[in-house]
Amino acid sequence: MYQNLYEANEKAIQEISEISNDRIAEFKITVISVPSDTSNADMSNINKRIIIFNPNFKTSFSVPFRIAHEMSHILYGKSSETYTFSPLSKKDEEIEANLNGIRILADIFFADYYSRVQRWEYRYRFIELFDLQPITHLVEKCL
Protein backbone atom coordinates (compact mmCIF):
# COMPACT_ATOMS: atom_id res chain seq x y z
CA MET A 1 0.00 0.00 0.00
CA TYR A 2 2.70 2.53 0.95
CA GLN A 3 4.65 1.74 -2.19
CA ASN A 4 1.64 2.76 -4.29
CA LEU A 5 1.36 6.04 -2.42
CA TYR A 6 5.07 6.67 -2.94
CA GLU A 7 4.75 5.95 -6.66
CA ALA A 8 1.73 8.25 -6.88
CA ASN A 9 3.71 11.02 -5.16
CA GLU A 10 6.67 10.55 -7.49
CA LYS A 11 4.38 10.64 -10.54
CA ALA A 12 2.63 13.79 -9.30
CA ILE A 13 5.94 15.54 -8.63
CA GLN A 14 7.23 14.57 -12.07
CA GLU A 15 4.09 15.81 -13.86
CA ILE A 16 4.03 19.07 -11.91
CA SER A 17 7.74 19.60 -12.57
CA GLU A 18 7.19 19.13 -16.31
CA ILE A 19 4.40 21.72 -16.38
CA SER A 20 6.49 24.05 -14.23
CA ASN A 21 9.41 23.68 -16.64
CA ASP A 22 7.12 24.64 -19.52
CA ARG A 23 6.10 27.79 -17.65
CA ILE A 24 9.71 28.61 -16.86
CA ALA A 25 10.50 28.42 -20.58
CA GLU A 26 7.40 30.47 -21.44
CA PHE A 27 8.56 33.26 -19.10
CA LYS A 28 12.11 33.07 -20.49
CA ILE A 29 13.66 32.12 -17.17
CA THR A 30 16.87 30.12 -17.17
CA VAL A 31 17.48 27.46 -14.52
CA ILE A 32 21.06 26.36 -14.01
CA SER A 33 21.87 23.41 -11.80
CA VAL A 34 25.07 24.05 -9.88
CA PRO A 35 25.89 21.24 -7.45
CA SER A 36 27.53 22.72 -4.40
CA ASP A 37 27.85 22.32 -0.66
CA THR A 38 24.69 21.28 1.20
CA SER A 39 24.59 24.66 2.95
CA ASN A 40 24.53 26.73 -0.28
CA ALA A 41 20.93 27.70 -1.00
CA ASP A 42 19.26 28.19 -4.37
CA MET A 43 19.37 31.73 -5.76
CA SER A 44 17.57 33.91 -8.28
CA ASN A 45 18.49 37.11 -10.05
CA ILE A 46 15.63 39.27 -11.35
CA ASN A 47 17.63 41.26 -13.92
CA LYS A 48 19.22 38.21 -15.49
CA ARG A 49 16.02 36.09 -15.12
CA ILE A 50 18.07 33.21 -13.82
CA ILE A 51 17.62 30.61 -11.09
CA ILE A 52 20.71 28.91 -9.76
CA PHE A 53 19.58 25.59 -8.32
CA ASN A 54 21.79 23.57 -5.97
CA PRO A 55 20.56 19.96 -6.04
CA ASN A 56 22.64 19.23 -2.93
CA PHE A 57 21.09 21.98 -0.79
CA LYS A 58 19.78 20.43 2.42
CA THR A 59 16.22 21.58 3.10
CA SER A 60 12.91 19.97 3.94
CA PHE A 61 11.13 21.83 1.12
CA SER A 62 10.50 20.02 -2.16
CA VAL A 63 12.37 20.82 -5.35
CA PRO A 64 9.21 22.04 -7.16
CA PHE A 65 8.50 24.49 -4.34
CA ARG A 66 12.09 25.71 -4.28
CA ILE A 67 11.94 26.42 -8.01
CA ALA A 68 8.48 28.03 -7.77
CA HIS A 69 9.69 30.21 -4.88
CA GLU A 70 12.66 31.47 -6.90
CA MET A 71 10.51 31.80 -10.01
CA SER A 72 8.13 34.03 -8.07
CA HIS A 73 11.00 36.35 -7.13
CA ILE A 74 11.71 36.81 -10.83
CA LEU A 75 8.08 37.19 -11.89
CA TYR A 76 6.81 39.32 -9.02
CA GLY A 77 9.90 40.82 -7.37
CA LYS A 78 10.01 44.56 -6.95
CA SER A 79 13.73 45.12 -7.09
CA SER A 80 16.74 44.04 -9.08
CA GLU A 81 18.21 42.04 -6.24
CA THR A 82 19.65 38.59 -6.13
CA TYR A 83 17.67 36.43 -3.72
CA THR A 84 18.79 33.41 -1.76
CA PHE A 85 16.24 30.72 -0.88
CA SER A 86 15.08 31.48 2.65
CA PRO A 87 11.43 30.44 2.98
CA LEU A 88 11.30 30.87 6.77
CA SER A 89 12.52 34.46 6.66
CA LYS A 90 10.18 37.13 8.00
CA LYS A 91 11.16 39.57 5.24
CA ASP A 92 8.20 40.76 3.18
CA GLU A 93 9.79 39.75 -0.14
CA GLU A 94 10.37 36.19 1.13
CA ILE A 95 6.81 35.86 2.42
CA GLU A 96 5.55 37.12 -0.96
CA ALA A 97 7.80 34.64 -2.78
CA ASN A 98 6.36 31.86 -0.61
CA LEU A 99 2.78 32.94 -1.31
CA ASN A 100 3.35 33.28 -5.04
CA GLY A 101 5.33 30.03 -5.19
CA ILE A 102 2.44 28.26 -3.47
CA ARG A 103 0.00 29.82 -5.95
CA ILE A 104 2.14 28.70 -8.90
CA LEU A 105 2.12 25.11 -7.63
CA ALA A 106 -1.55 25.20 -6.58
CA ASP A 107 -2.61 26.36 -10.05
CA ILE A 108 -0.80 23.37 -11.54
CA PHE A 109 -1.74 20.83 -8.85
CA PHE A 110 -5.42 21.70 -8.68
CA ALA A 111 -5.79 22.85 -12.31
CA ASP A 112 -9.13 24.23 -13.45
CA TYR A 113 -11.39 21.44 -12.23
CA TYR A 114 -10.99 21.97 -8.50
CA SER A 115 -13.32 24.39 -6.78
CA ARG A 116 -12.17 26.50 -3.84
CA VAL A 117 -13.92 24.03 -1.54
CA GLN A 118 -12.06 21.11 -3.08
CA ARG A 119 -8.76 22.97 -2.83
CA TRP A 120 -9.41 23.44 0.87
CA GLU A 121 -10.40 19.78 1.32
CA TYR A 122 -7.21 18.57 -0.40
CA ARG A 123 -4.86 21.11 1.19
CA TYR A 124 -3.12 18.52 3.39
CA ARG A 125 -2.34 16.37 0.37
CA PHE A 126 -0.86 19.46 -1.31
CA ILE A 127 1.13 20.38 1.81
CA GLU A 128 2.45 16.84 2.16
CA LEU A 129 3.39 16.47 -1.49
CA PHE A 130 5.49 19.64 -1.53
CA ASP A 131 6.80 19.36 2.05
CA LEU A 132 5.25 22.67 3.04
CA GLN A 133 4.49 21.81 6.67
CA PRO A 134 6.61 24.69 8.07
CA ILE A 135 4.51 27.19 6.11
CA THR A 136 1.08 25.53 6.35
CA HIS A 137 -0.42 28.85 7.42
CA LEU A 138 0.64 30.40 4.11
CA VAL A 139 -0.80 27.51 2.10
CA GLU A 140 -4.10 27.92 3.90
CA LYS A 141 -4.00 31.65 3.18
CA CYS A 142 -3.60 30.95 -0.55
CA LEU A 143 -6.22 28.28 -0.89
Side-chain angles (χ1 to χ4, degrees), residues 29-103:
I29 297 172
T30 302
V31 178
I32 300 173
S33 179
V34 180
S36 185
D37 186 76
T38 59
S39 64
N40 291 334
D42 308 319
M43 300 174 70
S44 59
N45 182 285
I46 293 175
N47 285 342
K48 294 180 181 179
R49 300 185 70 79
I50 190 167
I51 296 170
I52 299 171
F53 174 74
N54 176 7
N56 299 329
F57 178 55
K58 188 163 177 73
T59 181
S60 63
F61 292 97
S62 70
V63 169
F65 175 72
R66 290 164 52 192
I67 296 294
H69 174 98
E70 297 305 327
M71 184 177 166
S72 70
H73 277 304
I74 294 170
L75 295 176
Y76 308 109
K78 295 180 176 81
S79 69
S80 59
E81 292 185 36
T82 297
Y83 292 97
T84 302
F85 184 71
S86 50
L88 300 179
S89 171
K90 302 292 185 203
K91 291 183 179 180
D92 288 343
E93 58 268 10
E94 291 302 321
I95 293 169
E96 282 300 312
N98 285 339
L99 291 169
N100 288 321
I102 291 165
R103 288 182 188 112

